[in-house]
Amino acid sequence: MANQKRNTILFILLGLALMLLLLINISFGSVTIPFKEVINSLTGGEASKSTWEYIIINYRLPKAITAILVGMGLSISGLLMQTLFRNPLAGPDVLGLSSGASLSVAFVILGAGLLPPFLSSIFLSPYGLVLASTFGSFVVLIAVLLVSQKLRDTMAILIVGLMFSSFTNAFVNILTYFSTAEQLQKFAFWSMGNLGNLSWMSIILLSICVSIGLLLGLVNVKPLNTLLLGENYARSLGLNYKRTRLIILFTTSILTGSITAFAGPIAFIGLAIPHIAKLLFQTSNHSVLYWSTLLLGASVMLICDVVSQMPGMEITLPINAITSLIGAPVVVWLLVRKRKMMN
């Protein structure tokens, strides 16, 4: 009962923090807009200045929604992978899923010049990039899964994932070697990550993909708790292990693939957020971890976006650099802390 009350308080605080961070995210940037004006614009009113309203509706609100979708999707993806592989270092980027998505997008962007103009325009459309990215992450995931059938050691599986990542990066390097300066620039900007410049149509498409992934993750909360007991014990309890694993892998691929296509490869969110959720709520129950990871992922991504906007300045830093700067020390600290607790 005490834990339930504590969790309820934490969820309320996280919900309030998310709303506050949303306001801060929209308010701060190269031009600072007062909270009151932001609230007026978001609730259907009019801001004091038409330029503020234009910035809020056409630039900052879409970027904030994208940050929330990216944070939720990648963090849940990381939670699913860590539970499936029963390894705290598992995640969409560590297992090479992001690299697979990057390779597919690299084929589309850097190799589009080799295709007829009609096919090139189709592949370079937002829908083409989503399909390519999802396909790339799914192919790498299937490859890791096939290898995992032969290797029972989870550390070996992670090493295989890293090798797939290196393998796909090598292909990307070869493609970049033969590409034009314009193609290289386009791919370089994509690989740095970017939450802005998405049209409302692209955001709707990303919302649909992320919603499907999050819904599939939610309906698998009970199987995820069963997987904590181990594969053999889960089978003895009647869990259809193969079907559950396939659904989790499909969920991860659609989340990682769609997010990578629209926002570029975002590092460390999928790896770090589930650990922070477990540390904060001190539980392994996925009915709690799912929602806490969801809220934390969205909040941390909004914070990273605020930092990348460099409030008061004209420049915007790559979002992938900010998530790495914040996420890498957090993961190292968590691993050191866990090591101390074990000793």
Side-chain angles (χ1 to χ4, degrees), residues 65-309:
I65 293 174
T66 306
I68 291 173
L69 291 172
V70 169
M72 286 181 172
L74 289 181
S75 56
I76 290 298
S77 179
L79 177 66
L80 297 178
M81 297 304 291
Q82 288 171 14
T83 302
L84 177 64
F85 284 94
R86 300 181 66 195
N87 193 304
L89 294 178
D93 47 348
V94 175
L95 286 177
L97 302 187
S98 298
S99 298
S102 298
L103 178 61
S104 289
V105 174
F107 270 121
V108 169
I109 294 177
L110 305 179
L114 303 175
L115 299 173
F118 173 69
L119 287 178
S120 175
S121 62
I122 292 176
F123 280 117
L124 288 175
S125 69
Y127 306 99
L129 289 178
V130 170
L131 287 175
S133 182
T134 304
F135 177 76
S137 62
F138 191 69
V139 167
V140 171
L141 198 57
I142 293 298
V144 173
L145 182 62
L146 290 175
V147 175
S148 69
Q149 300 292 327
K150 305 291 182 183
L151 300 173
R152 293 293 178 185
D153 184 6
T154 51
M155 286 304 294
I157 295 172
L158 284 180
I159 292 172
V160 169
L162 290 173
M163 292 303 103
F164 273 118
S165 180
S166 299
F167 186 74
T168 53
N169 285 334
F171 265 108
V172 172
N173 289 335
I174 293 172
L175 285 172
T176 55
Y177 181 79
F178 291 103
S179 300
T180 64
E182 185 181 357
Q183 290 171 326
L184 284 176
Q185 187 183 39
K186 188 173 183 179
F187 184 71
F189 278 120
W190 176 83
S191 62
M192 290 178 185
N194 185 12
L195 301 176
N197 300 325
L198 287 187
S199 65
W200 281 109
M201 182 56 72
S202 297
I203 292 175
I204 290 172
L205 187 59
L206 178 62
S207 302
I208 293 172
C209 294
V210 172
S211 298
I212 292 172
L214 294 181
L215 187 61
L216 287 173
L218 180 61
V219 298
N220 277 282
V221 162
K222 284 186 178 178
L224 286 169
N225 282 336
T226 309
L227 285 174
L228 292 175
L229 303 173
E231 180 181 337
N232 293 330
Y233 199 78
R235 289 179 192 274
S236 68
L237 291 176
L239 178 72
N240 189 330
Y241 182 75
K242 284 187 176 179
R243 187 179 65 183
T244 302
R245 185 171 58 182
L246 184 63
I247 293 174
I248 291 174
L249 294 176
F250 176 76
T251 303
T252 306
S253 65
I254 193 171
L255 286 173
T256 306
S258 59
I259 289 171
T260 306
F262 284 110
I266 307 292
F268 283 104
I269 295 297
L271 181 61
I273 299 302
H275 290 294
I276 298 174
K278 290 171 189 172
L279 187 67
L280 186 62
F281 284 81
Q282 297 178 355
T283 181
S284 58
N285 184 354
H286 283 76
S287 60
V288 176
L289 283 178
Y290 179 89
W291 296 108
S292 57
T293 302
L294 204 71
L295 292 172
L296 278 168
S299 300
V300 171
M301 203 63 208
L302 284 173
I303 294 173
C304 291
D305 187 44
V306 171
V307 175
S308 73
Q309 288 178 120

Side-chain angles (χ1 to χ4, degrees), residues 46-59:
E46 292 185 0
S48 301
K49 298 181 180 178
S50 59
T51 51
W52 286 352
E53 190 167 339
Y54 181 83
I55 292 172
I56 292 171
I57 301 301
N58 294 289
Y59 182 69

